[in-house]
């Protein structure tokens, strides 16, 4: 007997909505047990069997199949290993089969013992569940049809989430818990729940506190390290005097010293009295300034710390340079003031540009963007730099290689003398020396690099090299390092010319023409079997007649240069220009060379602030 | 029109027995790779070294016991290269199978890429295979009938008894493996593990259900079967008998391959992709199958605890041990405390407590007169990659997947082929695949067919009567098989889900016979 509710629902679903109704969806709809729903379906089907509104049933048959030990690979296995015990092989084989009404009898036949047969679902038309297997290998279609029984699942799920599916016969284990579902424990009665409850609790404390510890540790470490960072730069900035970019040069020595913390403390202690004496020696005007600034300075130091933490350690190491400087004070006097003066004036806007300028002549990878700026800024920055060049030329020549640290030491000490002469410079330099204005310095130091100057008065060139060593374990290690190499005069010329263009060193071919830059493709197969196409460019020498058409614009632009280059090549002994790097310059050569090199240099002069200008 | 018996509604609602996951013992290795150790810079040699050190003692002990009684007094040689010529001696080392057909990375590199790669071989073995035994000192070639009979694979630690031949090979008389490790859990007191009378004793027993290979998202979906499976596990489908059995399932383990590798139109793509050394095609999946899986999982987890392992086809790293799925993948199912994402080989310790025991870890009180004392079982679950990989090494009429799985227990190593042909994490100082303990239940997912065996130690030392239940869990989407393992008796039941009346369909019917033969011949 079917209840009216069930009947109404089924009729509506099957014949109006044309839906499949499974026992589950019926049970959810009516709020009855699934087994009742199964019976309801059967009753409905029986009632409507002979009416025109007949529906089609899909049956579920469950039962046992003959145990496995009589067939299958299992027995083979047992024969090989051991076949003493039946219990090993006895696998109870239950089967649930979904079948349409036509195949029902056949399906039943395969069972040795049938547990149940019931209507799984009713549908407005036949679900060809069993048809395909009769019809042949149309598995896909069959699968799709069978999939229709999943259709009502959506509504079942919806009801389940709202209601209590346990009432419908869903067997819910007590040990099923939602993640935060501690409230469920309250309703659960047996003691097992307490056992269950322990399980999630047990691992968690072990995990969570650890994590917490880690994080707190980390935090602590962070704090500590931050504190360290704070402390270090503070100490460093105090004693630091001249923020040159000479980190590279002082590093080697400072490292040794740093190993002992005692030394560091000493370092810290030393500059302090020096500052005092300095301030006392300076004019009265200034006396109040440092005292007032000391607080400000401290505050200011914090800013750069947060902004440029990477630089901080370097700054700390940097402070070693002043110490030796005390001993060799007297190298020079005058020129630095000029430098000093120029610096602060330029500091306001040209700081960054200066940095570019400085780095400009050490290698060619200057961003093209900055090129314009350089030309603009050179007017003031160049002056200062040219001044620096002068110093170096005159006095530092002999020392340039031996102790690269010297120039900045020198500058430091001359700074003391400047105090009396120039008030503006004095203030700013004082600021520098006593490290009150740390903020600008931090910037400056970063950007400005001092390039050692070679014997011939030309700035040395930074050259990237790599050396390959075999370490103790027998691994090859390739190390890249850069060093300064003196630049020959003749090289300076093409360099200047080059800079005007793309700043590329274009090798010169055997025939005296610039080699041509050629893009090439190369295809390689890597270890994984992929092929990579790699583009690379190389220079190819240009044949004479080719060159005419290739470089007409070159010829137009700088005829002189063109003339110069073949000459260069001759002297270099047929080597490309790059090979000339190491060729020492002779004086006789210089004269002719500079002349020859002049025309192309003119525009390049803005970038190239070599000694030529000063010597003119 | 068939007349149907009405199905009675159970008078009192069925109750699902509970079980709890017990934290692992110290001996149980963890397969989780924490970020700290997640480094791929180490060499794989470390694994072999660690493995040899970990298993050498066990092998040595067993070999001594085995060969001590011999009249010829075989000499134990510590290093493989130190074997004495024409004197009976035995050595311990790692097996290395030199197989010409094994995928070779150098061949892969040198291959002409304009020609599509040959499909991966089903088997590596051929007649020219040679078995080597190696340790830190070097390698020696093992010859003799005994070697081929032993059916070894790369990476197994064995002791070989024999004699060096004039040409420098090692003529093997006998081979000794580590044998079964001691069982992880104590023996159950007061329960007859071999109780044949299933119907009487198992009415209250807890079962663990295992499936593998739901392959949701495959072109030929098994939606109806999965639907039935879910309904079965939630206890709604079938008659009272079925429902009673279903109610005894205390948890579900999904041993890998829940999502399908195959995607719409992926075949075309697959052809283009060069096959890399030993790699199966990469997982390519859309979110949709995952949503379907999550929905099913939600249905399941709301009824019983679920453990899910990643498998070969799943969107997880291919390197073993595969790390657990992120919970958040599974939507609402993740909200359940009783939903566990496990690593691919995974150790589980499950305690079924029928009696109300208040002591947390000493659940096995022998004083309990209850028919169902609390029992703790350790389960080792894998998604099947190691066994499938070893399957390629061995000719399968003599060997079978079940025997291979059984061998891994005797070798005390779950995945001996791991660094060689099976991708694995480059562990530096440990090898978690070494079995320091034998599990009670060893579940292997992703198999082509169902199979089961009880493995006991041969030399009845201490663990006599103790057996490990090996179950090969076939892919559900192919076979529709759900496996139930009785937690107390270790007895296995198999439940098939099919959607047709005849045996002609998609492999639901009697898969063991046909498939087994096919596998055997393969």
């Amino acid at each position: 007997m079917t209840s009216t509710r069930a009947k109404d629902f089924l009729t509506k679903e099957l014949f109006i909505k044309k839906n499949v109704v499974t026992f589950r969806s019926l049970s959810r709809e009516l709020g009855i047990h699934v087994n009742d729903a199964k019976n309801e379906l059967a009753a409905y089907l029986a009632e409507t069997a002979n009416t025109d509104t007949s529906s089609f049933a899909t049956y579920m048959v469950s039962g046992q199949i003959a145990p496995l030990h009589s067939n299958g690979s299992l027995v083979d296995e047992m024969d090989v290993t051991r076949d003493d015990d039946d219990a090993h092989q006895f696998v109870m084989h239950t089967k649930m089969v979904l079948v349409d009404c036509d195949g029902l009898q056949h399906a039943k036949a395969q069972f040795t013992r049938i547990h149940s047969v019931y209507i799984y679902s009713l549908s407005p038309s036949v679900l060809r569940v069993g048809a395909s297997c009769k019809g042949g290998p149309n598995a896909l279609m069959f699968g799709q049809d069978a999939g229709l029984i999943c259709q009502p699942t959506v509504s079942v799920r919806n009801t389940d989430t709202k209601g209590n599916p346990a009432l419908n016969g869903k067997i819910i284990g007590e040990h099923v818990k939602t993640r935060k579902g501690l409230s469920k424990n309250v309703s659960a009665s047996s003691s097992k729940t307490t056992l269950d409850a322990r399980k999630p609790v047990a691992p968690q404390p072990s995990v969570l506190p650890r994590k917490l510890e880690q994080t707190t540790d980390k935090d602590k470490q962070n704090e500590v390290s931050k504190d360290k960072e704070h402390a270090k730069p503070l100490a460093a900035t105090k004693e630091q005097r001249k923020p040159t970019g000479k980190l590279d040069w002082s590093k080697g020595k400072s490292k040794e010293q740093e190993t002992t913390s005692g030394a560091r403390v000493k370092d810290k202690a030393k500059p302090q009295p020096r500052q005092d004496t300095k301030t006392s020696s300076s004019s009265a005007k200034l006396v109040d300034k440092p005292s007032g600034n000391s607080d400000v300075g401290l505050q200011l130091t914090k800013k750069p710390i947060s902004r440029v933490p990477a630089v901080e350690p370097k700054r700390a190491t940097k402070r070693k340079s002043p110490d030796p400087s005390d001993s060799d004070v007297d190298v020079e006097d005058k020129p630095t003031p000029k430098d000093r003066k120029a610096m602060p004036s330029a500091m306001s806007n040209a700081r960054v540009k200066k940095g570019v300028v400085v780095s400009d002549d050490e290698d060619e990878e200057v961003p093209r963007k900055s090129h314009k700026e350089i030309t603009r800024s050179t007017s003031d920055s160049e002056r200062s730099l040219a001044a620096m060049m002068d110093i170096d030329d005159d006095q530092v020549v002999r020392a340039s290689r031996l102790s690269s640290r010297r120039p900045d030491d020198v500058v430091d000490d001359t700074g003391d003398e400047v105090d009396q002469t120039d008030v503006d410079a004095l203030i700013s330099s004082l600021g520098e020396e006593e490290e009150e204005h740390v903020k600008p310095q931090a910037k400056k130091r970063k950007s400005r690099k001092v390039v050692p100057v070679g014997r011939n008065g030309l700035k040395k060139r930074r050259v990237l090299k790599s050396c390959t060593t075999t370490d103790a374990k027998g691994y090859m290690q390739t190390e890249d390092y850069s060093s300064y190499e003196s630049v020959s005069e003749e090289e300076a010329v093409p360099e200047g010319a080059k800079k005007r263009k793309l700043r590329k060193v274009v090798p010169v071919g055997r025939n005296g023409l610039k080699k041509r830059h050629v893009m090439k493709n190369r295809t390689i197969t890597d270890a994984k079997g992929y092929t990579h196409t790699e583009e690379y460019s190389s220079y190819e020498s240009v044949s004479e007649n080719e060159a005419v058409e290739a470089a007409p614009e070159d010829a137009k632009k700088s005829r002189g240069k063109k003339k110069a280059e073949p000459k260069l090549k001759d002297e270099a002994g047929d080597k490309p220009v790059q090979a000339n790097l190491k060729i020492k310059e002779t004086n006789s050569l210089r004269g002719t060379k500079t002349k020859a090199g002049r025309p192309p240099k003119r525009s390049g002069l803005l970038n190239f602030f070599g000694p030529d200008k000063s010597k003119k | 029109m068939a007349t149907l018996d009405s199905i009675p509604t159970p008078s009192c609602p069925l109750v699902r027995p509970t079980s709890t996951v017990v934290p692992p013992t110290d001996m149980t290795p963890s397969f989780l790779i924490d970020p700290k150790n997640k480094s791929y810079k180490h060499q794989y040699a470390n694994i072999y070294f660690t493995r040899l050190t970990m298993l050498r003692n066990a092998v040595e002990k067993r070999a001594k016991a085995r060969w001590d009684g011999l009249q010829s007094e075989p000499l134990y040689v510590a290093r493989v290269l130190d074997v004495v010529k024409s004197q009976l001696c035995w050595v311990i080392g790692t097996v290395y199978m030199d197989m010409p057909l094994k995928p070779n990375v150098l061949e892969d590199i040198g291959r002409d890429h304009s020609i599509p790669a040959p499909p991966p071989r089903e088997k590596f073995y051929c007649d020219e295979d040679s078995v080597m035994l190696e340790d830190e000192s070097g390698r020696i070639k093992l010859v003799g009938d005994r070697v081929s009979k032993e059916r070894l694979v790369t990476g197994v630690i064995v002791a070989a008894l024999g004699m060096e031949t004039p040409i420098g090979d090692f003529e093997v008389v006998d081979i000794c493996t580590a044998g079964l490790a001691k069982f992880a859990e104590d023996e159950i007191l007061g329960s007859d593990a071999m109780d044949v009378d299933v119907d009487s004793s198992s009415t209250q027993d807890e079962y663990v259900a295992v499936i593998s290979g739901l392959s949701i998202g495959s072109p030929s979906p098994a939606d109806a079967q999965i639907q039935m499976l879910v309904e079965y596990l939630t206890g709604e489908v079938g008659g009272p008998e079925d429902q009673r059995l279903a109610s005894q399932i205390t948890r579900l383990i999904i041993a890998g391959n829940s999502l399908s590798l195959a995607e719409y139109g992926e075949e075309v793509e697959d052809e283009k992709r060069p096959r890399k050394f030993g790699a199966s095609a990469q997982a390519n999946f859309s979110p949709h199958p995952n949503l379907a899986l999550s929905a099913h999982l939600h249905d399941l987890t709301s009824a019983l605890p679920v453990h899910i392992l990643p498998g070969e086809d799943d969107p997880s790293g291919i390197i073993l041990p595969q790390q657990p799925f992120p919970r958040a993948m599974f939507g609402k199912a993740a909200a359940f405390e009783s939903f566990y994402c496990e690593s691919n080989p995974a150790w589980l310790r499950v305690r079924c407590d029928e009696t109300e025991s208040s002591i947390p870890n000493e659940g096995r009180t022998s004083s309990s007169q209850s028919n169902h004392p609390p029992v703790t079982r350790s389960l080792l679950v894998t998604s099947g990659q190691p066994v499938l990989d070893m399957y390629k090494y061995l000719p399968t009429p003599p060997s079978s997947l079940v025997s291979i799985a059984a061998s891994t227990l005797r070798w005390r190593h779950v995945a001996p082929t791991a660094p060689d042909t099976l991708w694995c994490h480059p562990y530096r100082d440990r090898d978690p695949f070494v079995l320091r303990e034998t599990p009670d239940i060893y579940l292997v997912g992703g198999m082509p067919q169902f199979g089961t065996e009880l493995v006991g130690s041969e030399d009845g030392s201490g663990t006599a009567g103790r057996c490990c239940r090996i179950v090969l869990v076939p892919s559900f989407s192919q076979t529709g098989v759900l496996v139930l393992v009785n937690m107390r008796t270790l007895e296995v039941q198999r439940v098939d889900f099919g959607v047709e009346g005849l045996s002609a369909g998609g492999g639901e019917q009697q898969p063991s016979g046909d498939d087994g033969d096919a596998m055997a011949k393969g």
Side-chain angles (χ1 to χ4, degrees):
Chain A
M1 278 301 287
T2 169
S3 68
T4 48
R5 263 184 83 204
K7 196 171 178 179
D8 290 350
F9 173 72
L10 284 168
T11 316
K12 191 176 137 207
E13 285 291 312
L14 289 170
F15 301 111
I16 297 169
K17 292 191 182 171
K18 305 276 183 206
N19 278 339
V20 177
V21 180
T22 66
F23 69 94
R24 277 182 102 204
S25 59
L26 184 66
S27 80
R28 268 27 173 220
E29 181 63 32
L30 303 179
I32 55 176
H33 194 275
V34 277
N35 288 3
D36 292 335
K38 290 166 192 167
N39 296 334
E40 291 279 3
L41 285 179
Y44 178 83
L45 185 71
E47 268 183 31
T48 61
N50 296 321
T51 64
D52 53 344
T53 59
S54 67
S55 52
F56 299 89
T58 304
Y59 294 90
M60 166 78 89
V61 186
S62 67
Q64 270 180 36
I65 286 184
L68 257 187
H69 64 86
S70 61
N71 57 5
S73 62
L74 187 63
V75 173
D76 299 345
E77 216 30 61
M78 292 306 153
D79 290 340
V80 174
T81 53
R82 45 160 74 193
D83 50 355
D84 48 351
D85 201 343
D86 273 355
H88 291 181
Q89 294 136 46
F90 187 80
V91 174
M92 211 159 72
H93 194 167
T94 314
K95 182 153 179 146
M96 329 282 293
V97 176
L98 202 62
V99 70
D100 64 5
C101 49
D102 298 334
L104 183 59
Q105 292 310 319
H106 201 108
K108 276 179 176 172
Q110 64 181 310
F111 293 97
T112 54
R113 181 170 156 250
I114 291 176
H115 290 171
S116 67
V117 180
Y118 65 93
I119 295 174
Y120 184 86
S121 69
L122 290 176
S123 49
S125 63
V126 180
L127 291 180
R128 311 293 307 171
V129 169
S132 65
C133 53
K134 280 175 205 154
N138 199 353
L140 197 67
M141 178 205 129
F142 141 76
Q144 282 168 350
D145 255 12
L148 289 175
I149 64 159
C150 308
Q151 191 192 338
T153 319
V154 181
S155 65
V156 171
R157 274 179 193 143
N158 288 337
T159 348
D160 275 4
T161 48
K162 283 175 212 150
N164 184 4
L167 293 177
N168 303 117
K170 191 169 184 175
I171 305 166
I172 296 175
E174 280 172 24
H175 49 323
V176 169
K177 292 211 176 64
T178 53
R179 259 197 144 175
K180 288 164 193 167
L182 295 171
S183 55
K184 273 197 178 178
N185 283 350
V186 182
S187 62
S189 55
S190 86
S191 65
K192 284 147 214 158
T193 52
T194 60
L195 281 172
D196 290 348
R198 199 183 316 110
K199 181 222 73 223
V201 171
Q204 266 169 2
S206 64
V207 174
L208 277 178
R210 217 183 298 150
K211 252 185 213 162
L212 280 174
E213 275 171 24
Q214 280 175 351
T215 52
T216 50
D217 277 359
K218 228 179 251 171
D219 286 349
K220 261 183 226 162
Q221 280 178 351
N222 279 349
E223 278 170 18
V224 170
S225 61
K226 255 180 219 163
D227 286 350
K228 264 184 208 162
E229 275 175 11
H230 275 270
K232 228 193 253 175
L234 275 179
T237 46
K238 247 179 226 163
E239 56 212 2
Q240 194 185 23
R241 34 241 6 273
K242 177 82 167 47
T244 53
K246 294 210 166 172
L247 302 176
D248 294 342
W249 305 95
S250 56
K251 222 189 248 169
K253 190 150 193 184
S254 62
K255 238 181 236 166
E256 300 162 22
Q257 291 176 351
E258 218 172 17
T259 49
T260 56
S261 61
R264 198 184 292 176
V265 176
K266 227 196 291 170
D267 291 344
K268 279 178 199 163
K270 236 186 223 170
Q272 213 80 33
R274 239 187 115 210
Q275 283 177 6
D276 294 346
T277 55
K278 218 182 288 162
T279 47
S280 62
S281 70
S282 58
S283 64
K285 229 195 284 172
L286 296 162
V287 174
D288 53 5
K289 227 179 192 167
S291 63
N293 280 353
S294 61
D295 290 340
V296 181
L298 281 176
Q299 287 165 1
L300 282 174
T301 45
K302 282 184 185 170
K303 270 187 206 165
I305 287 157
S306 56
R307 247 188 300 131
V308 274
V311 188
E312 301 312 315
K314 278 185 192 167
R315 198 185 289 171
T317 63
K318 182 66 185 37
R319 82 185 97 87
K320 268 78 194 193
S321 55
D323 296 328
S325 75
D326 287 6
S327 57
D328 44 17
V329 183
D330 53 343
V331 185
E332 61 193 88
D333 30 0
K334 253 193 277 171
T336 26
K338 255 193 260 169
D339 174 32
R340 277 302 156 115
K341 220 189 285 172
M343 288 305 213
S345 66
M347 225 194 297
S348 57
N349 55 357
R351 211 177 298 130
V352 181
K353 293 163 198 166
K354 258 196 283 174
V356 175
V357 169
V358 172
S359 67
D360 189 11
D361 53 0
E362 56 179 27
D363 43 26
E364 292 120 14
E365 27 178 325
V366 185
R368 220 166 295 141
K369 227 198 300 170
S370 62
H371 192 74
K372 255 187 270 165
E373 291 176 298
I374 292 163
T375 50
R376 254 192 279 117
S377 68
T378 31
S379 53
D380 41 5
S381 62
E382 194 184 350
R383 232 186 328 139
S384 64
L385 284 162
M388 256 193 338
M389 292 305 111
D390 288 345
I391 308 161
D392 292 337
D393 248 358
D394 296 343
Q395 270 135 347
V396 196
V397 172
R398 62 205 128 113
S400 66
R401 231 172 205 192
L402 300 173
S403 95
S404 45
R405 210 188 326 110
R406 196 148 298 170
D408 87 89
D409 300 338
V410 163
V411 170
D412 279 342
D413 295 291
T414 50
D416 285 351
E417 286 139 352
V418 181
D419 292 348
Q420 275 80 12
T421 58
D422 192 331
V423 178
D424 281 349
L426 183 130
I427 292 167
S428 59
S429 64
L430 257 183
E432 274 174 21
E433 293 213 355
E434 299 176 11
E435 308 307 319
E436 310 294 14
H437 303 300
V438 183
K439 199 164 139 198
Q441 279 172 10
K443 268 270 172 75
K444 219 164 92 190
R445 193 180 316 110
K446 231 187 354 187
S447 56
R448 193 154 59 103
K449 275 185 188 164
V450 171
V451 179
V453 175
R455 223 163 241 282
N456 56 4
L458 291 171
K459 279 195 173 181
K460 289 192 173 179
R461 168 202 298 247
R462 188 135 209 169
V463 179
L464 266 175
K465 291 176 179 174
S466 65
C467 73
T468 307
T469 55
T470 308
D471 73 356
K473 285 181 185 164
Y475 293 113
M476 290 244 285
Q477 286 184 331
T478 306
E479 204 174 293
D480 286 341
Y481 66 98
S482 62
S483 68
Y484 288 105
E485 279 188 3
S486 45
V487 179
S488 69
E489 189 107 302
E490 67 182 33
E491 178 145 2
V493 178
E495 202 172 61
K498 250 180 284 146
K499 245 164 227 160
R500 200 190 39 181
K501 293 165 85 186
L502 273 178
R503 285 193 195 77
K504 270 187 191 159
V505 178
V506 180
V508 176
R510 223 163 239 283
N511 54 5
L513 291 170
K514 274 190 180 180
K515 286 191 174 179
R516 182 173 45 181
H517 203 164
V518 180
M519 295 294 293
K520 290 178 181 174
N521 281 343
R522 158 165 57 184
T523 307
I524 53 164
T525 308
D526 75 353
K528 284 183 184 159
Y530 293 114
T531 50
H532 291 281
T533 305
E534 205 173 275
E535 278 194 357
Y536 68 101
S537 60
S538 69
Y539 289 104
E540 276 185 2
S541 44
V542 180
S543 71
E544 205 95 56
N545 46 2
E546 255 182 325
V548 178
E549 31 189 282
E553 69 279 356
D554 273 5
K556 266 177 242 157
K557 251 191 280 171
S558 55
R559 204 153 284 271
K561 192 180 86 188
K562 259 207 150 182
K563 266 172 213 158
E565 271 171 354
K567 246 185 235 169
L568 263 178
K569 192 219 72 193
D570 289 344
E571 281 147 11
D574 274 6
K575 279 181 196 163
V577 175
Q578 265 172 325
N580 286 350
L581 282 177
K582 285 159 200 168
I583 296 180
K584 279 278 167 187
E585 195 60 37
T586 60
N587 280 339
S588 62
L589 223 95
R590 190 191 291 178
T592 60
K593 213 31 61 199
T594 42
K595 239 176 251 166
R598 190 81 14 144
K601 217 177 166 189
R602 186 135 296 151
S603 54
L605 253 178
L606 291 177
N607 310 332
F608 191 76
F609 35 85
D612 305 79
K613 198 183 176 187
S614 59
K615 264 166 205 159
K616 239 189 299 182
Chain B
M1 183 52 54
T3 53
L4 302 174
D5 306 332
S6 75
I7 294 162
T9 308
S11 52
C12 62
L14 293 163
V15 177
R16 201 181 283 279
T18 59
S19 63
T20 46
V21 174
V22 191
T25 58
D26 300 338
M27 292 287 279
T28 317
S30 164
F31 289 105
L32 298 180
I33 300 168
D34 51 344
K36 193 180 71 202
N37 293 322
K38 198 163 196 163
S39 148
Y40 296 98
K41 67 182 178 189
H42 301 298
Q43 300 285 319
Y44 281 113
N46 295 319
I47 295 185
Y48 285 116
F49 180 75
T50 336
R51 191 184 298 175
L52 186 57
T53 1
M54 284 174 89
L55 289 176
R56 183 188 279 275
N57 287 341
V59 176
E60 190 179 332
K61 204 173 137 199
R62 192 149 173 269
K64 263 202 183 109
R66 183 162 169 165
W67 295 326
D68 248 2
L70 296 182
Q71 311 152 343
S72 48
E73 297 276 318
L75 177 74
Y76 171 54
V77 179
R79 281 151 50 98
V80 163
L81 289 193
D82 294 344
V83 288
V84 190
K85 264 215 169 74
S86 62
Q87 188 189 337
L88 192 67
C89 53
W90 57 281
V91 286
I92 296 176
T94 312
V95 171
Y96 175 74
M97 301 291 288
D98 193 21
M99 306 176 112
L101 297 185
K102 209 155 64 171
N104 185 343
V105 72
L106 294 177
E107 264 171 31
D108 233 35
I109 293 165
R111 206 167 48 75
D112 182 357
H113 288 278
S114 60
I115 304 165
R121 291 174 194 283
E122 203 203 342
K123 294 283 189 185
F124 300 150
Y125 77 90
C126 70
D127 294 339
E128 286 134 50
D129 295 348
S130 54
V131 184
M132 316 277 220
L133 193 70
E134 71 171 27
D135 65 1
E136 313 90 70
S137 68
R139 230 179 235 188
I140 193 166
K141 190 175 171 187
L142 303 184
V143 292
D145 284 348
R146 185 74 182 82
V147 178
S148 50
K149 234 190 277 168
E150 187 68 23
R151 309 205 292 258
L152 294 165
V153 301
T154 295
V156 179
I157 310 291
V158 294
L161 175 74
M163 200 178 282
E164 194 180 3
T165 62
I167 52 165
D169 293 343
F170 195 70
E171 180 84 38
V172 177
V173 184
D174 195 13
I175 284 180
C176 179
T177 60
L180 285 192
K182 73 174 178 58
F183 276 85
E185 302 302 329
D186 299 337
E187 194 148 6
I188 313 148
L189 299 165
S191 107
D192 186 2
M194 294 298 111
D195 198 347
V196 186
D197 195 1
V198 175
D199 284 31
S200 63
S201 75
S202 67
T203 47
Q204 292 300 312
D205 287 354
E206 297 89 348
Y207 284 86
V208 165
V210 198
I211 49 168
S212 177
L214 290 177
S215 298
I216 292 171
S218 68
S220 58
D223 286 345
Q225 286 99 320
I226 293 169
Q227 182 67 42
M228 287 158 70
L229 169 79
V230 171
E231 289 166 8
Y232 178 81
L233 289 170
T234 55
E236 296 179 39
V237 100
E241 256 177 290
D242 302 312
Q243 287 172 339
R244 203 206 59 233
L245 181 60
S247 75
Q248 286 173 255
I249 299 169
T250 176
R251 51 186 65 230
L252 170 72
I253 297 169
I254 302 174
N257 296 358
S258 311
L259 295 169
S260 171
L261 193 62
E263 262 295 293
Y264 324 105
E266 202 214 32
E267 284 82 0
V268 189
E269 230 176 277
D270 208 4
E271 291 300 312
K272 287 179 200 157
R273 236 182 328 212
R275 284 184 193 280
K276 275 188 281 176
F277 168 70
S280 54
Q282 281 119 349
N284 185 9
F285 40 85
S286 80
H288 175 65
N290 188 34
L291 293 180
L293 175 64
S294 310
H296 287 307
L297 284 176
H298 179 244
D299 286 353
L300 290 170
T301 43
S302 59
L304 77 172
V306 176
H307 300 254
I308 187 166
L309 279 74
E312 196 175 9
D313 297 347
D314 284 323
S316 177
I318 196 142
I319 288 182
L320 287 183
Q322 287 179 306
Q323 295 303 293
F325 284 126
R327 282 184 82 94
M329 241 175 95
F330 300 109
K332 278 194 251 170
F336 284 88
E337 188 75 62
S338 50
F339 175 71
Y340 305 88
C341 293
E342 308 283 353
S343 57
N344 175 358
W347 280 91
L348 302 176
R349 271 181 92 207
V350 177
R351 189 176 64 233
C352 308
D353 19 35
E354 191 72 11
T355 53
E356 301 185 359
S357 77
S358 54
I359 314 155
N361 270 327
E362 297 302 317
R364 272 165 261 102
T365 46
S366 54
S367 59
S368 167
Q369 292 304 312
S370 161
N371 200 16
H372 293 280
V375 55
T376 308
R377 292 291 191 185
S378 64
L379 290 82
L380 176 61
V381 194
T382 83
S383 296
Q385 295 103 314
V387 172
L388 287 175
D389 190 58
M390 283 179 267
Y391 179 75
K392 297 175 184 167
Y393 278 75
L394 300 168
T396 23
S399 295
S400 71
L401 290 167
V402 179
S403 74
I404 291 170
S407 307
T408 58
L409 294 178
R410 300 208 176 90
W411 295 332
R412 293 197 194 178
H413 202 280
V414 189
T417 59
D420 190 18
T421 47
L422 191 64
W423 290 13
C424 121
H425 183 82
Y427 283 104
R428 190 165 52 91
D429 48 5
R430 66 200 191 99
D431 185 355
F433 299 104
V434 169
L435 294 173
R436 287 190 284 183
E437 300 168 317
T438 303
D440 293 311
I441 300 167
Y442 180 24
L443 303 170
V444 183
M447 293 288 114
Q449 93 229 41
F450 172 79
T452 182
E453 190 186 345
L454 274 172
V455 175
S457 55
E458 295 120 339
D459 42 304
S461 55
T463 55
R466 261 329 262 292
C467 285
C468 171
R469 167 63 75 182
I470 297 175
V471 182
L472 305 189
V473 187
S475 162
F476 186 83
S477 62
Q478 303 292 317
T479 60
V481 171
L482 165 80
V483 179
L484 306 179
V485 183
N486 190 320
M487 293 290 279
R488 294 181 185 275
T489 63
L490 300 183
E491 167 245 338
V492 175
Q493 289 205 33
R494 159 180 174 166
V495 182
D496 284 29
F497 295 91
V499 277
E500 56 189 311
L502 294 174
S503 55
E508 285 90 3
Q509 305 297 317
Q510 282 89 34
S512 45
D514 302 342
D515 294 3
D517 288 351
M519 288 299 288
K521 269 150 202 156

